[in-house]
Amino acid sequence: MNGIFISHSTKDRKFVEQIVEFLQLGMGVELRKIFCTSLYGTLPTGEDFIKIIKDNVKERGMVLAVITPEYLKSQFCMMELGAAWAGAERLYPILALGTEYKDLESSPLAKVQMRKADQERDWGVIYDELVKYQMISVNTPRFYEKLPQFMESISRFKRKSDQLYTSDLLPDDIRFPAGAKPDPLYMPDPSGYYSVTIEAERSVPSAYRCYKIKGKLVIEGLQKWLDSESHWIFYTEGAYDDPKVGDQVRLKISKTERRTFPDIGFARNIYPADMEVIG
């Protein structure tokens, strides 16, 4: 087998990105061996994307199908699943985001052995089988070092229309400590664009870019969290020109995600709908 084809619903993109990241950092799968249509640049402009998907199912050999409620409702996902059934050497269906075995009773997957995304032992089985089929080299300490963080990230994964959060239980009245100087706050212009300054770059997997904003964006409906979080621009490699520390950037928001990390605490990822470096 030459790699892994990730079959998923585009509506589950953010969840699938967590899996792709863990495949790289926790299991040692090279990014070039992962085909996932949610990764920027996977589908070349002007090409027949259905043919590309079918070819990659066959070429990669292993299909990891992320089975969610959105996946089961999608005719396109069912087409991908059919192609995987016919052309892949190995099919790994993973139940996620509330999907249970009973939801598959009327599907072709009804009698197929499943794994569950929220079960550590199931990821251990997948890891062992990737080693067995020589998809990856053995590095068990790395796998078990990264597994708890991955499990934590997907266990807190929630959907809320266009906004995604990992915590909704913070008090509304958080204030700056006495004497602390508040961060600068940025308001959008009439067209919805913010102009901000880049304060720092964060080390993330090579497929992504992450930059800390000097200050915070004022986002309608989310003001109650401003005092407790830092703001970070996050996007896929190649989507925009990469800024440097100190650069000014103009951006419009697609969506945001509130997360927590051991080193920086609560952070809000800002996913741009548009972005440019302006100086």
Side-chain angles (χ1 to χ4, degrees):
M1 292 183 286
N2 297 321
I4 301 174
F5 180 101
I6 310 291
S7 177
H8 68 289
S9 167
T10 56
K11 293 183 179 181
D12 299 320
R13 180 173 63 88
K14 298 310 302 178
F15 183 82
V16 170
E17 285 178 356
Q18 299 288 325
I19 293 176
V20 171
E21 181 176 308
F22 181 62
L23 288 173
Q24 295 176 77
L25 300 182
M27 297 193 185
V29 181
E30 298 177 42
L31 182 60
R32 65 183 179 85
K33 291 186 176 182
I34 300 173
F35 184 92
C36 178
T37 55
S38 285
L39 297 182
Y40 183 83
T42 301
L43 297 175
T45 304
E47 298 289 336
D48 182 343
F49 66 89
I50 293 180
K51 182 178 185 303
I52 292 172
I53 287 172
K54 288 181 178 179
D55 289 346
N56 273 276
V57 166
K58 185 175 294 185
E59 177 186 340
R60 304 287 165 161
M62 173 182 173
V63 173
L64 191 155
V66 184
I67 311 298
T68 67
E70 296 293 349
Y71 188 96
L72 294 173
K73 289 189 291 186
S74 169
Q75 292 183 351
F76 195 84
C77 289
M78 292 299 101
M79 181 275 290
E80 279 190 354
L81 186 61
W85 204 289
E89 293 180 49
R90 306 286 301 179
L91 174 62
Y92 286 79
I94 297 179
L95 297 178
L97 296 179
T99 313
E100 301 294 339
Y101 297 109
K102 62 182 177 58
D103 299 323
L104 309 176
E105 291 174 356
S106 60
S107 79
L109 296 169
K111 296 183 179 180
V112 176
Q113 178 63 48
M114 297 279 168
R115 302 298 171 196
K116 299 193 74 172
D118 60 357
Q119 298 295 316
E120 288 192 15
R121 63 178 180 273
D122 283 359
W123 287 106
V125 171
I126 292 173
Y127 171 76
D128 289 341
E129 293 187 346
L130 288 177
V131 171
K132 175 182 176 181
Y133 294 109
Q134 300 183 330
M135 286 283 297
I136 57 174
S137 300
V138 178
N139 193 332
T140 304
R142 175 185 59 195
F143 173 75
Y144 284 104
E145 175 190 353
K146 300 295 183 181
L147 182 60
Q149 182 179 346
F150 170 64
M151 297 305 301
E152 182 182 0
S153 71
I154 64 172
S155 70
R156 289 198 305 256
F157 202 94
K158 297 180 181 179
R159 289 190 207 217
K160 268 197 174 183
S161 61
D162 290 335
Q163 304 277 337
L164 303 178
Y165 308 102
T166 54
S167 175
D168 300 305
L169 303 177
L170 295 180
D172 294 349
D173 58 351
I174 295 175
R175 295 291 181 265
F176 292 104
K181 184 179 179 180
D183 292 327
L185 301 178
Y186 298 99
M187 299 288 293
D189 65 20
S191 60
Y193 282 85
Y194 296 81
S195 293
V196 303
T197 300
I198 300 299
E199 181 177 332
E201 180 176 359
R202 184 166 172 79
S203 178
V204 293
S206 60
Y208 306 101
R209 297 290 184 268
C210 187
Y211 299 92
K212 185 181 181 183
I213 295 171
K214 187 177 183 180
K216 298 166 187 178
L217 307 187
V218 176
I219 305 169
E220 183 177 359
L222 304 181
Q223 290 91 332
K224 65 181 178 180
W225 283 296
L226 277 178
D227 297 354
S228 64
E229 64 188 20
S230 54
H231 285 189
W232 301 74
I233 301 172
F234 191 94
Y235 59 89
T236 307
E237 176 191 20
Y240 306 101
D241 291 336
D242 296 336
K244 302 184 296 294
V245 173
D247 280 351
Q248 284 198 311
V249 168
R250 184 171 182 265
L251 77 152
K252 194 170 189 176
I253 296 175
S254 169
K255 60 178 69 173
T256 76
E257 178 183 14
R258 183 178 170 85
R259 303 185 64 188
T260 181
F261 300 91
D263 55 337
I264 60 175
F266 286 106
R268 183 171 299 281
N269 283 351
I270 308 294
Y271 301 103
D274 188 27
M275 190 183 91
E276 63 176 335
V277 179
I278 57 177

